[in-house]
Amino acid sequence: MNDHYHHAQASAAVRAVALKNALEERALVPEGYVEKFTEIMQNDFDPANGARVVARAWVDPHYRELLLSDGTAACAQFGYTGVQGEYIVALENTPALQNVIVCTLCSCTAWPVLGLPPDWYKSFEYRSRVVRESRTVLREMGLDLPDEVEIRVWDTSAETRYMVLPFRPSGTEDWTEEQLAALVTKDVLIGIARPGAPTHQPRVKQ
Ligand code: FE
């Protein structure tokens, strides 16, 4: 991860504080709103949810079919519904295809299954470069894909939220769902990492 990502992280934090202060000065933030919303975010919206969805899809072909045809319904079976998860589309990876998610406009992720976007995901650097030079950006983030692997970048929106369904790593045939889920991180669900492969270490803890 180069310094451009790091600088974008700092400026995002500064902008967020400035916005919060401006809203508070005008009494536009209800009492306790930020605290309550932060609590919901931390407790309910967790990439471990998306990991459970992936693990189920790996062991249950019917569930996998549902996930790929109606991601929202498949996630709802676990109770993973709600704000920013109204319409979830799962993107199927294969050894020859890597799907990657970005929000070129801002920072959209499928909150109920991915959690909040990491800081690097919100950076101008990632949002612009992953579209133009995805292979290079993935390599910088620790995912060095051979040239024969196709990369598809999906631009999320306010309406459609994506999650990546990675392919099940070989050698995990007798693993339990719980063990399988432990392989799936937020980075894997966004598509900048593959399960079982080395993942990048964010400088800022998410
Ligand atoms: Fe967005």
Side-chain angles (χ1 to χ4, degrees):
M1 183 117 358
N2 64 32
D3 280 346
H4 294 290
Y5 294 102
H6 192 57
H7 291 149
Q9 285 168 6
S11 65
V14 170
R15 289 199 304 273
V17 170
L19 183 61
K20 183 169 180 280
N21 289 343
L23 290 169
E24 281 174 352
E25 270 170 30
R26 290 160 181 77
L28 290 171
V29 183
E31 180 80 29
Y33 176 83
V34 172
E35 292 71 18
K36 183 163 181 268
F37 205 65
T38 304
E39 197 184 299
I40 292 172
M41 285 296 176
Q42 286 170 348
N43 295 335
D44 297 348
F45 296 151
D46 189 334
N49 297 348
R52 279 182 213 109
V53 169
V54 168
R56 177 66 53 84
W58 281 346
V59 300
D60 180 343
H62 295 292
Y63 184 79
R64 176 193 187 81
E65 208 173 293
L66 176 65
L67 179 62
L68 292 172
S69 61
D70 187 345
T72 316
C75 293
Q77 283 196 1
F78 282 89
Y80 306 148
T81 59
V83 64
Q84 312 296 334
E86 293 89 350
Y87 184 60
I88 297 172
V89 173
L91 308 166
E92 185 181 24
N93 278 358
T94 70
L97 171 66
Q98 181 71 26
N99 293 289
V100 183
I101 305 168
V102 64
C103 177
T104 56
L105 270 182
C106 47
S107 58
C108 302
T109 54
W111 290 354
V113 282
L114 261 72
L116 287 180
D119 284 342
W120 56 260
Y121 184 89
K122 295 184 272 190
S123 70
F124 295 115
E125 180 85 6
Y126 176 75
R127 285 158 46 204
S128 53
R129 287 187 59 225
V130 79
V131 178
R132 295 200 309 270
E133 41 178 346
S134 45
R135 199 171 297 274
T136 305
V137 169
L138 291 187
R139 192 180 302 124
E140 287 171 7
M141 299 182 100
L143 182 61
D144 195 359
L145 294 172
D147 286 344
E148 55 270 26
V149 176
E150 183 191 344
I151 299 170
R152 271 187 216 156
V153 180
W154 298 76
D155 194 4
T156 192
S157 70
E159 287 78 30
T160 305
R161 301 300 169 95
Y162 298 108
M163 64 171 282
V164 171
L165 172 60
F167 61 91
R168 184 173 175 166
S170 57
T172 61
E173 288 72 16
D174 56 353
W175 286 31
T176 65
E177 246 179 275
E178 202 181 344
Q179 287 174 314
L180 291 168
L183 293 173
V184 182
T185 62
K186 188 182 291 198
D187 287 356
V188 168
L189 294 165
I190 292 172
I192 64 145
R194 286 183 157 188
T199 57
H200 87 104
Q201 297 295 317
R203 288 187 196 180
V204 179
K205 190 159 167 45
Q206 303 302 333

